[in-house]
Amino acid sequence: MHKKLSATVLILVFFVQAQSQEWKGKWISTMENQSATNTWLMYRKSVQLPAKPGKALARIAVDSKYWLWINGQMVVFEGGLKRGPDPENTYYDEVDLAPYLTAGKNTIAVLLWYFGKDGFSHKSSGRAGLLFDCAGEGVNIASDRTWKATLAKAYQTAGEPYPNFRIPESSLLFDARKDPGAWQSPQYDDKWMPSALELGKAGDYPWNELFARPIPQWKDHGLKNYLSNISFPFVSTGDTIICDLSYNTQLTPWLRVEAEAGQKIVIATDNYLFYGPETNVRAEYITKQGVQEYESYGWMNGHKVYYFIPKGMKVLGLQYRETGYNTSFAGSFSSSDPFLEKLWEKARRTLYVNMRDTYMDCPDRERAAWTGDAVNEAGQAFYALDPSSHALGKKWLYELIHWQRKDGAIYAPVPAGNWAGELPCQSVTSIGYYGLWNYYLHTGNKQLLSDLYDGAKKYLDIWEKDGKGTVKLRRGEWTWGDWGDQIDTILVYNLLYSLGVKGMQLAAEELGKAADALAFKKFNEQFKQSFNQQFWTGAEYRSPAYKGLTDDRAQALAVVAGVAGKDKFPALLTVFRKEEHASPYMEKYVFEAMFQMGYIDEALARHKKRYGYMVNHPGFTTLFEGWGIGTEGFGGGTVNHAWTGGGLTVLSQYLCGVYPLEPGYKTFQILPHPGSVRSASTTVPSVAGNIKTSFSQGSGAFTLEAMVPAGTEAVIGIPKSKRRTIRLNNSVIWSNGKFKAANGVQWVDANDPHFIRFRVPAGNWIFKN
């Protein structure tokens, strides 16, 4: 490329560009392939190696997914990522094959799934193909016309109802009568398979430039038994076989049966049958003669799996494979209040089932990275999951800017092939205080902040000012403010823009962009004054043209944006006690605002009232899209929407008080807001190490314990509430406003009206009054 590169192109360095390394492999397919929707292809290659290699790094690119076997052993289960890093290009995987290769003959087998349609999480290249390149010690394996390739004709498309237009995956039908057998095995005779057809080299259209996969391969739990107490073998009576799962799971179903040829088995989850709400994916299987087993590779999710097996068929086994994003549940929360524990755990379970190629709004209806949803999800991940989860947030933010339109608009979901509409309220949230800045604060990834700053600023700059110190309503293609009603859109959009400016001011200061930082600061100072003058009525915030009930969302955003002063808190509390219009997506900001205002018990009471049905529902391990299910919810009413889990963040960040003060947790705070909660504890798996803290209170006593990781410092606050004496590890360090230094501990912020604060180095600390 000889033309001047744009900033957006330059930041693609995040995705290690494949053209910086020579590819010897060619894109290959077969002459039969017409790249129809839901095409499956089989590839084989046998090679001789002089010795077992110490390392053999394979780079594998496909549109859309693949499964890899080496010498008959599965090495990658569902490799590849949905396209793409930007609107034109494609991801590739890197896999070390050395542990699976041997001296002598080796057989490589690849099963490729080409979606062949666009969706809200995938942009089709328009052509199925495989690119394989493996180099190492004595290893040089590259895809070319010497490979074998053919259509996998047993894989077909299940009939109507088809998955809705948002989902690029098809419902799979596998006709075992057309199964070629164990074609992945080294002993398989592949003479019947034709030679592959070369389509082009790395970098060629339509796959274009290649960028390394930025997230890990899925965690594969292997085949597992269902919870249901079923004894095998048994003969089907024709009744539906219902298999229970431990929790809402991303899974691929498996079966083993003995059957006559030509009988159909249908497999679906409860999310397909009952809680879609629009059609998602199921699986169908046509039997061959005799004993057979099958695993449907198109993942689905739910709490139950339903097998519809014809009467008289002998069922030898039913299992499932759980796969998902490769992270661990390293964070934790416990409390004397069991409701809060259950809320936190259900929020984490909902978060995890919405993580795969991207953050998803839901794993059934759309599988789409709506960017406002991702803001809430990434915020939860910092408290609930180990740091490997951060890569998904990083991917989300880079893709958001890489897909930025030429007119400067940022839109989502991306990747996407059949959506390009801007939701201004979600886009501005993503590049602001709760999005880009929050990611940087928790990870310390300054390169990301630098790479994405210009694109984020470009987006802020296309919002029009109204000449009054606020901004005009930016409608975009979808003027969405939240699900539900009573939305004062003018207020919501203005306040989210102010939060966007706040985040960008902090980013500009961090990056040394003094002029930008000053401009952002001046805007928000004027904004605060103007917003209050225009919209504060004396009892609430309200835009003049809005005639509905008072919007609780807008009041909350005014608090968290720093626009509402303390003098307005009593009036706003009255609003929060009366008005309940926010969806679970926006309720996070109400919960947070009430904590910031100091109304802890009122915040908890409201949250319990609004969340009680879904948190206490015994039939679901996940949280809903709305306050009910289906027509009782919003937007379709799914039962697994991670935007609903903002309470997880608030409980760890505010109730237990853990939050970074410096990027990457070099310094962090533990400022608990206990209200009347007797006790709570949390583990925060930060990039600096695990932070553990707990508090307990009763009969005037208060105890706080903290484990501060090596290389960090913490500011620990004891709620004042008439404290006269504070002990640290059994020694008095503070009494009636006088401090006695000990163990490198400092008394800080003596004028804080709410906390007695101490700065402590790494170590284990116990504070008591």
Side-chain angles (χ1 to χ4, degrees):
M1 298 176 67
H2 300 291
K3 63 182 179 180
K4 185 177 179 181
L5 295 177
S6 68
T8 299
V9 172
L10 288 173
I11 62 174
L12 284 170
V13 296
F14 160 65
F15 303 113
V16 180
Q17 193 172 347
Q19 274 64 25
S20 64
Q21 310 169 56
E22 181 183 357
W23 284 75
K24 296 181 180 179
K26 300 292 193 300
W27 283 99
I28 58 173
S29 183
T30 177
M31 287 185 291
E32 291 180 279
N33 174 34
Q34 298 299 312
S35 295
T37 297
N38 193 35
T39 292
W40 291 71
L41 294 159
M42 302 185 301
Y43 298 88
R44 275 178 62 93
K45 175 67 176 178
S46 293
V47 296
Q48 292 284 336
L49 297 180
K52 180 178 176 62
K55 188 172 184 180
L57 189 65
R59 292 176 291 164
I60 306 167
V62 300
D63 180 350
S64 310
K65 297 287 182 177
Y66 72 90
W67 288 255
L68 170 68
W69 293 262
I70 302 293
N71 298 324
Q73 179 181 355
M74 181 174 281
V75 175
V76 176
F77 187 96
E78 197 203 294
L81 288 175
K82 295 178 175 181
R83 274 181 101 245
D86 59 51
E88 305 298 330
N89 300 313
T90 303
Y91 287 114
Y92 72 91
D93 288 355
E94 292 183 311
V95 183
D96 186 8
L97 304 185
Y100 312 98
L101 295 171
T102 63
K105 182 182 176 181
N106 291 268
T107 301
I108 300 166
V110 178
L111 176 65
L112 183 148
W113 183 12
Y114 171 69
F115 294 162
K117 57 177 179 171
D118 292 329
F120 278 21
S121 57
H122 176 74
K123 183 176 182 180
S124 179
S125 69
R127 195 166 195 184
L130 166 71
L131 180 63
F132 188 102
D133 197 297
C134 181
E137 302 167 3
V139 179
N140 189 357
I141 308 169
S143 52
D144 58 20
R145 60 175 56 110
T146 67
W147 284 50
K148 301 281 191 175
T150 188
L151 292 174
K153 296 181 180 179
Y155 284 95
Q156 301 170 26
T157 302
E160 295 187 42
Y162 301 120
N164 76 82
F165 66 93
R166 303 171 186 86
I167 302 176
E169 297 96 327
S170 297
S171 287
L172 304 181
L173 182 149
F174 188 87
D175 190 340
R177 297 170 299 182
K178 299 182 179 181
D179 184 6
W183 62 275
Q184 306 94 334
S185 168
Q187 293 76 36
Y188 185 78
D189 185 356
D190 62 9
K191 292 187 178 65
W192 66 274
M193 296 176 66
S195 297
L197 174 70
E198 292 184 5
L199 302 176
K201 63 182 184 300
D204 280 357
Y205 178 83
W207 308 280
N208 305 319
E209 296 179 5
L210 302 172
F211 297 89
R213 178 189 184 113
I215 60 176
Q217 295 286 346
W218 311 144
K219 180 181 287 187
D220 182 353
H221 296 263
L223 289 174
K224 299 163 67 173
N225 293 324
Y226 293 104
L227 291 181
S228 306
N229 187 19
I230 301 175
S231 297
F232 300 101
F234 67 89
V235 176
S236 173
T237 63
D239 292 337
T240 304
I241 302 167
I242 305 173
C243 299
D244 294 322
L245 299 159
S246 299
Y247 43 77
N248 197 334
T249 306
Q250 294 178 10
L251 66 100
T252 49
W254 176 92
L255 58 80
R256 189 166 187 260
V257 297
E258 184 175 356
E260 301 293 326
Q263 296 180 285
K264 180 187 284 190
I265 297 171
V266 178
I267 312 170
T269 67
D270 50 341
N271 278 35
Y272 177 88
L273 295 169
F274 309 116
Y275 309 121
E278 296 187 49
T279 306
N280 50 75
V281 295
R282 69 184 189 278
E284 296 184 358
Y285 178 75
I286 307 296
T287 59
K288 60 184 177 181
Q289 185 71 32
V291 175
Q292 56 211 279
E293 62 183 54
Y294 170 68
E295 181 176 0
S296 183
Y297 286 157
W299 72 271
M300 53 188 71
N301 83 286
H303 289 86
K304 299 176 185 291
V305 180
Y306 292 72
Y307 289 82
F308 301 88
I309 298 178
K311 183 178 181 179
M313 188 180 297
K314 191 173 185 179
V315 182
L316 305 177
L318 300 173
Q319 293 184 308
Y320 72 100
R321 181 190 306 270
E322 178 184 0
T323 58
Y325 190 91
N326 199 347
T327 189
S328 65
F329 285 16
S332 66
F333 173 83
S334 63
S335 173
S336 56
D337 188 331
F339 180 90
L340 301 182
E341 287 188 349
K342 190 179 294 186
L343 167 66
W344 201 96
E345 287 299 332
K346 281 197 172 186
R348 176 163 62 182
R349 178 56 61 191
T350 314
L351 168 66
Y352 186 66
V353 82
N354 278 288
M355 297 171 67
R356 205 167 177 99
D357 296 65
T358 63
Y359 280 121
M360 299 177 282
D361 61 333
C362 52
D364 40 25
R365 184 183 72 219
E366 298 183 32
R367 302 182 173 183
W370 293 102
T371 192
D373 300 45
V375 169
N376 284 11
E377 291 171 286
Q380 295 166 45
F382 296 128
Y383 291 103
L385 305 173
D386 77 57
S388 66
S389 65
H390 302 174
L392 194 61
K394 183 178 179 181
K395 178 178 182 287
W396 153 56
L397 288 167
Y398 271 100
E399 286 177 346
L400 193 66
I401 299 301
H402 290 174
W403 284 74
Q404 188 169 22
R405 296 191 323 218
K406 291 181 180 179
D407 65 2
I410 290 173
Y411 68 95
V414 293
N418 54 354
W419 177 270
E422 177 196 357
L423 278 71
C425 71
Q426 289 209 353
S427 296
V428 77
T429 302
S430 301
I431 55 92
Y433 183 73
Y434 286 101
L436 178 59
W437 176 255
N438 197 49
Y439 184 89
Y440 172 60
L441 193 59
H442 282 273
T443 65
N445 187 337
K446 195 169 185 177
Q447 186 63 54
L448 175 142
L449 193 69
S450 177
D451 288 346
L452 303 187
Y453 178 86
D454 288 343
K457 183 177 182 299
K458 181 179 180 180
Y459 179 65
L460 269 188
D461 288 346
I462 66 175
W463 282 61
E464 292 186 67
K465 311 300 189 295
D466 62 6
K468 303 175 185 178
T470 45
V471 292
K472 295 180 180 179
L473 177 63
R474 180 172 178 81
R475 293 193 175 277
E477 282 70 42
W478 187 3
T479 314
W480 184 90
D482 189 17
W483 284 146
D485 53 16
Q486 315 302 333
I487 305 171
D488 196 339
T489 308
I490 293 290
L491 299 191
V492 169
Y493 274 46
N494 265 273
L495 290 162
L496 289 174
Y497 182 82
S498 178
L499 282 163
V501 172
K502 179 180 179 179
M504 289 299 291
Q505 177 191 332
L506 293 167
E509 290 170 352
E510 194 72 10
L511 296 172
K513 298 179 182 292
D516 286 355
L518 181 60
F520 290 138
K521 180 181 179 182
K522 286 183 175 179
F523 173 84
N524 260 349
E525 288 174 348
Q526 177 60 39
F527 178 90
K528 180 177 180 179
Q529 180 180 354
S530 177
F531 190 91
N532 279 292
Q533 288 175 347
Q534 291 183 66
F535 306 124
W536 180 250
T537 69
E540 64 194 18
Y541 288 103
R542 175 179 289 269
S543 62
Y546 175 69
K547 304 304 179 184
L549 298 175
T550 302
D551 183 358
D552 51 345
R553 311 166 188 82
Q555 318 307 308
L557 291 172
V559 174
V560 299
V563 171
K566 293 181 180 179
D567 60 308
K568 298 178 176 59
F569 287 179
L572 294 177
L573 176 61
T574 299
V575 173
F576 293 138
R577 281 174 165 163
K578 179 182 178 183
E579 307 292 347
E580 297 179 354
H581 310 299
S583 79
Y585 167 59
M586 278 288 185
E587 188 66 22
K588 184 261 184 182
Y589 297 106
V590 179
F591 199 26
E592 182 172 0
M594 295 181 75
F595 263 86
Q596 287 189 7
M597 293 160 65
Y599 301 126
I600 312 307
D601 290 339
E602 294 86 349
L604 294 171
R606 174 179 166 124
H607 219 64
K608 288 179 179 180
K609 178 184 176 185
R610 302 211 78 196
Y611 274 78
Y613 175 68
M614 69 175 94
V615 170
N616 292 322
H617 200 300
F620 299 97
T621 61
T622 46
L623 302 174
F624 312 156
E625 179 176 11
W627 301 112
I629 301 170
T631 57
E632 296 179 359
F634 297 121
T638 79
V639 298
N640 33 226
H641 241 69
W643 75 0
T644 303
L648 181 157
T649 303
V650 173
L651 291 174
S652 291
Q653 180 179 336
Y654 288 95
L655 183 70
C656 290
V658 182
Y659 188 68
L661 297 175
E662 289 186 84
Y665 282 87
K666 293 177 183 176
T667 304
F668 60 91
Q669 68 183 28
I670 302 177
L671 303 180
H673 295 68
S676 60
V677 176
R678 293 195 310 276
S679 65
S681 66
T682 192
T683 298
V684 178
S686 82
V687 293
N690 282 348
I691 299 164
K692 296 184 178 181
T693 183
S694 65
F695 71 80
S696 60
Q697 61 179 349
S699 302
F702 187 88
T703 300
L704 187 149
E705 298 187 27
M707 185 182 81
V708 180
T712 70
E713 287 186 325
V715 173
I716 296 178
I718 308 302
K720 278 193 170 176
S721 187
K722 301 180 181 179
R723 311 289 178 204
R724 296 186 181 277
T725 301
I726 296 177
R727 296 177 179 271
L728 173 60
N729 297 346
N730 292 321
S731 297
V732 175
I733 62 163
W734 187 93
S735 180
N736 294 316
K738 294 182 179 180
F739 174 68
K740 180 180 179 182
N743 300 320
V745 176
Q746 303 172 48
W747 180 28
V748 294
D749 297 331
N751 295 322
D752 186 326
H754 304 295
F755 292 94
I756 303 165
R757 300 191 187 208
F758 304 96
R759 181 181 290 268
V760 303
N764 297 312
W765 308 96
I766 302 175
F767 291 86
K768 294 183 178 181
N769 72 312

